[in-house]
Amino acid sequence: MLNKKEIRFVLDTMGEMYPDADIELEFDNTFELVIAVLLSAQATDVSVNKVTKTLFTKYKTPEDYLAVPLEELQDDIRSLGLWRNKAKNIQKLCKTLVEEFDGKVPSERKNLEKLAGVGRKTANVVMSVGFNKPAIAVDTHVERVAKRLGICRWKDNVNQVEQTLMKKIPEEEWSVTHHRMIFFGRYHCKARNPNCSECPLLSICREGKKRIRKLEK
Ligand code: SF4
């Protein structure tokens, strides 16, 4: 496992590589952010942005989503994976927003997690990006990078990864690190073919060293 100094090296290196890392979903307000994050499950940000470009013109408020039949909303998002369930969740979520939160997205975790389709990861993204609260959302990239580098253990589940990252990374760096780890995983330490031979973190990365040794055999 990486020590404190090595973790500092990781954070600084990712900061140098991706100083402007930020969410790549497009939205204009917190309500649109929740919808976009919900739509992004098993879909790329690019494909979500394509859909929301027209979706957010047609639907501006929770009431707008509730005013159409479910089938119409399903048609509007059909190009994305899981469109049937996502449309159902969007309408349920909008109903809860109208009935319990005066049509506004709440900022507290316990209330966010009351919304259909919003689990811990989505709540973390909304808290961090929408309300500037420190949070680390662990998606597939964050989990893979944390495990390959040895910040977390291979056997850790998503919650354990989040807890470990929160323990080892200073709170004021949680949100920015979350974005930088996503960029690092998306563009450099990819699921297949991570760029280990040109990685500035190779000297401290157990997985990278293993992969390089294999290539040299
Ligand atoms: Fe990822 Fe390879 Fe870099 Fe390790 S050395 S962080 S596995 S790209």
Side-chain angles (χ1 to χ4, degrees):
M1 302 287 272
L2 298 192
N3 61 35
K4 225 174 167 186
K5 202 171 150 200
E6 289 167 330
I7 289 178
R8 187 67 260 160
F9 176 60
V10 168
L11 299 181
D12 292 344
T13 303
M14 286 187 188
E16 277 165 27
M17 288 174 83
Y18 304 109
D20 303 319
D22 205 349
I23 190 162
E24 293 188 298
L25 293 170
E26 288 163 6
F27 59 94
D28 278 335
N29 53 56
T30 322
F31 176 54
E32 289 184 357
L33 169 66
V34 177
I35 302 289
V37 178
L38 191 149
L39 290 173
S40 70
Q42 292 188 33
T44 63
D45 289 356
V46 174
S47 64
V48 172
N49 289 339
K50 226 184 254 174
V51 167
T52 53
K53 204 170 181 188
T54 41
L55 195 75
F56 292 163
T57 312
K58 182 172 174 183
Y59 305 96
K60 302 269 185 214
T61 65
E63 288 84 352
D64 293 340
Y65 286 94
L66 294 171
V68 299
L70 175 62
E71 294 70 29
E72 184 174 335
L73 182 55
Q74 286 177 330
D75 270 346
D76 289 332
I77 64 167
R78 195 178 282 264
S79 61
L80 299 171
L82 310 174
W83 52 273
R84 275 196 189 86
N85 269 341
K86 285 177 181 173
K88 274 186 206 160
N89 280 337
I90 288 175
Q91 287 198 327
K92 275 194 211 161
L93 174 151
C94 288
K95 196 162 177 276
T96 310
L97 286 183
V98 170
E99 289 175 356
E100 292 188 36
F101 301 107
D102 205 15
K104 295 188 181 68
V105 177
S107 64
E108 307 79 23
R109 174 188 306 287
K110 73 171 184 340
N111 288 333
L112 280 166
E113 289 185 3
K114 282 185 189 167
L115 305 174
V118 176
R120 189 170 175 96
K121 189 186 85 180
T122 301
N124 278 346
V125 175
V126 175
M127 281 163 50
S128 155
V129 177
F131 295 104
N132 260 326
K133 293 185 175 183
I136 301 182
V138 179
D139 73 348
T140 177
H141 300 297
V142 173
E143 182 176 0
R144 183 178 68 252
V145 168
K147 288 183 176 179
R148 278 181 176 168
L149 277 166
I151 301 174
C152 304
R153 296 170 305 178
W154 283 110
K155 61 178 183 182
D156 285 349
N157 62 33
V158 176
N159 283 343
Q160 288 169 318
V161 171
E162 186 187 330
Q163 294 306 319
T164 305
L165 290 173
M166 289 196 300
K167 219 182 290 164
K168 295 187 174 179
I169 296 170
E171 189 172 331
E172 63 277 13
E173 293 180 65
W174 287 356
S175 294
V176 72
T177 301
H178 153 238
H179 293 305
R180 286 174 181 163
M181 284 180 90
I182 290 177
F183 270 55
F184 187 78
R186 193 177 277 162
Y187 302 114
H188 181 86
C189 184
K190 298 178 185 178
R192 284 183 200 175
N193 301 324
N195 191 1
C196 301
S197 56
E198 291 174 30
C199 184
L201 298 178
L202 179 61
S203 61
I204 54 149
C205 179
R206 59 182 181 186
E207 175 69 17
K209 284 180 194 160
K210 204 165 81 189
R211 284 172 181 263
I212 295 286
R213 273 197 303 271
K214 243 189 204 169
L215 285 176
E216 286 170 351
K217 270 185 189 165

